[in-house]
Amino acid sequence: VWKFKEKLKGVVTKETGAVVKDFGGKASVLLVYPNEYAIGMGNLAVHSIYGMLNDREDVVCERAFLPSRGDLNEIARGDGELLSLESQRPASDFDAIAFTISFENDYLNILPMLSLAKMPSLARDRGASSPVIVAGGAAPTINPLPISEIFDVIFIGEFEEYYDEFCNVITGAGDKAEIISEFARMEGVFVPREGRGGRAVVGEAVSKRRFLKNLDEFRTQTRIYSDAAEFGDMHLIEAQRGCPRMCKFCATPAAYFPPRQRSGDAIVEMARGGRHYRARFGLIGADILSHPEFVEIAEAMHAMDATFSPSSVRADAIDEVKARLLAESGHRSISLGIEAGSERLRDALGKRTPDAKIIDAASTLARAGITRLRLYFMIGLPGERDEDLLAIAAVAKKIEAAVRSHAPKGSGNRIIDITISPFIPKPGTQFAKEPFVGEARIKSCVRAIKSSLIHERGMRLHFDSAMDARVEYELSNAASGMHEFLAEAAAHGVKMALGSYKNLEG
Ligand code: SF4
C-alpha cells in the first residue's frame, strides 16, 4: 500500500497543472476514469470536468484511474484500496464519486474499481454513509441502462449544462438521499432507482440529452500536462463537437448532436495559453480540415513556432493547401476512415466518398510528403456482400499505387496500415436496429480479406478482435442492467461472461 501511495505521489510530482486543495469546508468529488492513467489523461472530458470543478472555491476535485495490472496485483496482495491521485485519500472519504465513461468496454473496469474502493457494486446495497456515485459521458448518454443498477444517478448529455446545478447540489447541506432526489429533479438526469426501464429509456435518453449551445463558453483543453499521458506531448484543444455528416453507423452525431464548432479566435487564444507548456497542439474534432477557419488556425499555430495534429481527417476535405500545412506540421502519416470497400456500400452507410476522391486525397498527401496512410474499414455491415470484402483489397491497392506514383523521390517509407473493425450497431444511430453479425461471420470476413491482401508489399493488416466487438455490442445495446455480466467478467474473464450470457439468452 505504501508503495502504491508513493507511486501516486510520483505521478502527481511529474505533472504540471494538478490542483491540490485543502478539503476544509468544501464539497469533495472524486473524478474517476475507468481505465489506466495514460488513457484517461488523453481524454479531454477528464481535463475539462476536473478544471471546471476546481474553478469553484467551494469544491475540491481529485482524480482516480484504474491501477495498472501490476499495481492491482500488489494491492490485492496487501490491504490496499482505491486512492485519489492528488492527496492519496480513500475513495470513501469523498462526498461524490463521478465516473466519466466514453467507451462501453470500460464498463468492465467499473466493478473492479468499486471493489478496490471497498464499496458494493449495486447501488441498492450501498448505505447512506457511502458517497453518491454518478456517471456521465458518451457511452451512458446513448444508453444508460447497462449500468443502471450500479449508479445512483446518470447524467445524460454534456457536463457543462449541469455544471452549476451539480455544484449547487453537492455543496448544499443535504444528505445522500436528498442529493439524489435533488439530482432527480434536474432535467436530463436518469435516476435508475425511480423504476423506469426498458427500451423506451434508450430513445428517451438520447432525445432528452442536454448539450452546450456555444462551445466558446467553456475552454475545453488540456489542464494538466504529463509526459506519461496519451498525447502528453501536445496541448489538446477541442475544436469541434459532434459531426454534421451523420453517417448511419456512427455514434458521434447521436451522442453529440447538434454539430458545433469553436471559433477560430477562441482556438488561437487557447493555443497561445498552451504554448507556454507545449509546442504541439492536438486539435480534437470529427472533421478538423473542414473547420471554416482551418487554414488561419494552422497558420497562426505555425507562427507561434508550434505544430498541430488533427484528431481526425476526412478524405474529401483534403486539398493541396491543407496537405502542405499538415506536412509543414511534421505529419508523415495520416488516418482516413474509408469504412467500406465499395462505393455502393459506402453510399448505403451515408459516407458518400467516391473512390476517385479517396485516390485523389492519397495522391495529394503523397505529393506533400505524407506517405504513410492508416486506413480504417468495417466488416459485418448491413447489406454487405462478399464482393464488398474484395473491394477493400481493391481500393487499398489503388491507394498504395497512388501514393507510390505521387511520393517525391527520397520521401521515405511508404506504408499503408489497414485496420479492420467489426460493425457494432449503436443506440441512437440510424443503424441502431441492424443486427450484429456475430463472431462466425466476422471471422470469415477476416479470412477473405487476409487472403486478398496478405501478400501485398507495403501493406500491414490489423484486425480488431471479434470477441471484443461482441462484448461492446452487448454492453452498448442491453435494455436492462448488465451487472451480472460485469460481475462474471470481473470474476472469471469476459469469455466466461459471454458464454453464460449467451446461455441466458437461450
Ligand atoms: S464517421 Fe466520421 S464523418 Fe461520419 S458521422 Fe462519424 S464522425 Fe462524422
Side-chain angles (χ1 to χ4, degrees):
V1 178
W2 182 82
K3 253 168 109 183
F4 182 49
K5 268 193 180 179
E6 287 308 303
K7 251 190 192 169
L8 293 177
K9 279 186 199 167
V11 171
V12 184
T13 314
K14 289 192 196 113
E15 291 182 336
T16 306
V19 179
V20 182
K21 272 187 184 176
D22 179 37
F23 272 50
K26 300 180 184 72
S28 55
V29 180
L30 181 66
L31 177 63
V32 177
Y33 190 88
N35 210 318
E36 292 190 15
Y37 175 86
I39 299 170
M41 288 303 290
N43 186 299
L44 267 185
V46 171
H47 291 264
S48 160
I49 298 169
Y50 179 81
M52 287 166 71
L53 291 175
N54 279 317
D55 284 347
R56 294 262 308 212
E57 279 180 9
D58 50 357
V59 177
V60 50
C61 175
E62 300 197 343
R63 292 160 291 157
F65 300 92
L66 180 74
S68 68
R69 194 170 284 274
D71 287 340
L72 273 174
N73 292 339
E74 199 174 298
I75 295 167
R77 276 197 299 275
D79 188 27
E81 59 179 307
L82 186 69
L83 301 173
S84 69
L85 198 54
E86 286 80 353
S87 65
Q88 300 90 47
R89 272 186 172 76
S92 51
D93 279 8
F94 288 79
D95 298 318
I97 301 181
F99 280 72
T100 175
I101 314 171
S102 300
F103 307 106
E104 290 85 358
N105 282 10
D106 284 346
Y107 292 162
L108 294 164
N109 299 326
I110 298 172
L111 266 50
M113 292 189 83
L114 289 176
S115 159
L116 263 187
K118 302 185 189 306
M119 289 176 193
S121 51
L122 285 165
R124 64 167 181 261
D125 293 341
R126 291 191 297 266
S129 62
S130 163
V132 180
I133 306 188
V134 308
T141 286
I142 60 169
N143 181 10
L145 295 177
I147 52 171
S148 56
E149 301 145 297
I150 301 168
F151 291 97
D152 298 309
V153 177
I154 300 175
F155 291 85
I156 307 294
E158 299 172 7
F159 181 70
E160 292 92 340
E161 283 300 291
Y162 291 103
Y163 174 43
D164 286 332
E165 287 168 86
F166 178 89
C167 292
N168 293 343
V169 171
I170 56 160
T171 55
D175 62 15
K176 180 177 170 182
E178 285 161 344
I179 291 178
I180 294 175
S181 56
E182 292 268 337
F183 280 148
R185 275 197 281 276
M186 287 160 54
E187 192 194 327
V189 162
F190 175 55
V191 179
R193 257 184 290 175
E194 289 203 327
R196 292 179 306 152
R199 273 269 154 232
V201 171
V202 183
E204 187 189 314
V206 181
S207 67
K208 288 197 172 162
R209 33 178 293 286
R210 288 171 69 174
F211 56 88
L212 175 65
K213 315 279 172 303
N214 177 5
L215 285 197
D216 283 359
E217 280 175 29
F218 289 89
R219 299 176 163 232
T220 310
Q221 59 185 334
T222 301
R223 302 280 288 235
I224 305 160
Y225 300 92
S226 164
D227 291 337
E230 255 186 19
F231 317 115
D233 60 334
M234 298 187 218
H235 176 81
L236 303 178
I237 298 172
E238 184 193 44
Q240 299 166 322
R241 201 177 286 187
C243 182
R245 310 273 187 154
M246 310 296 283
C247 301
K248 293 179 187 170
F249 59 88
C250 181
T252 299
Y256 299 108
F257 188 82
R260 287 146 287 163
Q261 321 236 29
R262 192 178 298 283
S263 69
D265 284 349
I267 293 172
V268 171
E269 204 186 313
M270 287 159 75
R272 265 192 209 107
R275 182 65 185 88
H276 298 296
Y277 305 97
R278 292 291 185 265
R280 189 160 181 79
F281 301 114
L283 290 171
I284 310 297
D287 190 6
I288 296 293
L289 267 49
S290 299
H291 189 292
E293 295 165 272
F294 169 75
V295 173
E296 291 79 2
I297 294 166
E299 284 172 347
M301 288 177 169
H302 288 167
M304 289 176 212
D305 200 17
T307 56
F308 70 89
S309 177
S311 63
S312 180
V313 164
R314 277 194 51 118
D316 54 12
I318 291 167
D319 61 23
E320 300 285 345
V321 173
K322 291 171 183 174
R324 176 181 52 77
L325 287 166
L326 287 167
E328 282 172 10
S329 249
H331 285 273
R332 294 295 166 263
S333 80
I334 285 287
S335 302
L336 296 174
I338 313 291
E339 320 301 357
S342 70
E343 286 184 2
R344 179 195 65 79
L345 193 51
R346 237 175 278 140
D347 282 354
L349 305 180
K351 186 121 188 178
R352 295 190 176 80
T353 317
D355 281 359
K357 193 76 225 170
I358 297 169
I359 309 302
D360 194 36
S363 313
T364 307
L365 289 169
R367 278 196 295 280
I370 299 170
T371 54
R372 292 167 164 232
L373 298 182
R374 284 188 298 268
L375 311 178
Y376 291 85
F377 292 93
M378 285 186 290
I379 49 178
L381 285 158
E384 177 183 271
R385 302 177 196 146
D386 287 347
E387 66 245 34
D388 296 313
L389 302 175
L390 300 178
I392 291 180
V395 76
K397 286 178 198 170
K398 282 190 216 162
I399 292 170
E400 197 279 332
V403 172
R404 193 163 9 101
S405 64
H406 288 270
K409 279 210 171 69
S411 59
N413 278 353
R414 296 184 310 268
I415 294 173
I416 309 292
D417 273 303
I418 300 173
T419 299
I420 312 272
S421 312
F423 160 70
I424 300 164
K426 291 283 173 93
T429 65
Q430 294 173 69
F431 277 173
K433 291 198 166 58
E434 295 294 340
F436 174 67
V437 290
E439 292 166 63
R441 166 74 187 166
I442 290 168
K443 284 179 182 160
S444 90
C445 294
V446 167
R447 278 194 297 276
I449 294 168
K450 266 190 185 163
S451 63
S452 56
L453 272 177
I454 201 84
H455 299 301
E456 288 301 317
R457 285 184 55 205
M459 290 201 205
R460 292 192 300 217
L461 281 172
H462 170 81
F463 295 93
D464 284 348
S465 137
M467 190 174 77
D468 286 352
R470 170 91 204 187
V471 172
E472 187 177 336
Y473 168 71
E474 303 296 356
L475 291 177
S476 308
N477 287 280
S480 58
M482 291 289 278
H483 181 270
E484 210 176 309
F485 177 91
L486 295 172
E488 176 72 7
H492 302 114
V494 275
K495 204 168 178 181
M496 287 286 281
L498 268 183
S500 335
Y501 190 70
K502 274 187 208 161
N503 291 341
L504 207 82
E505 282 184 321

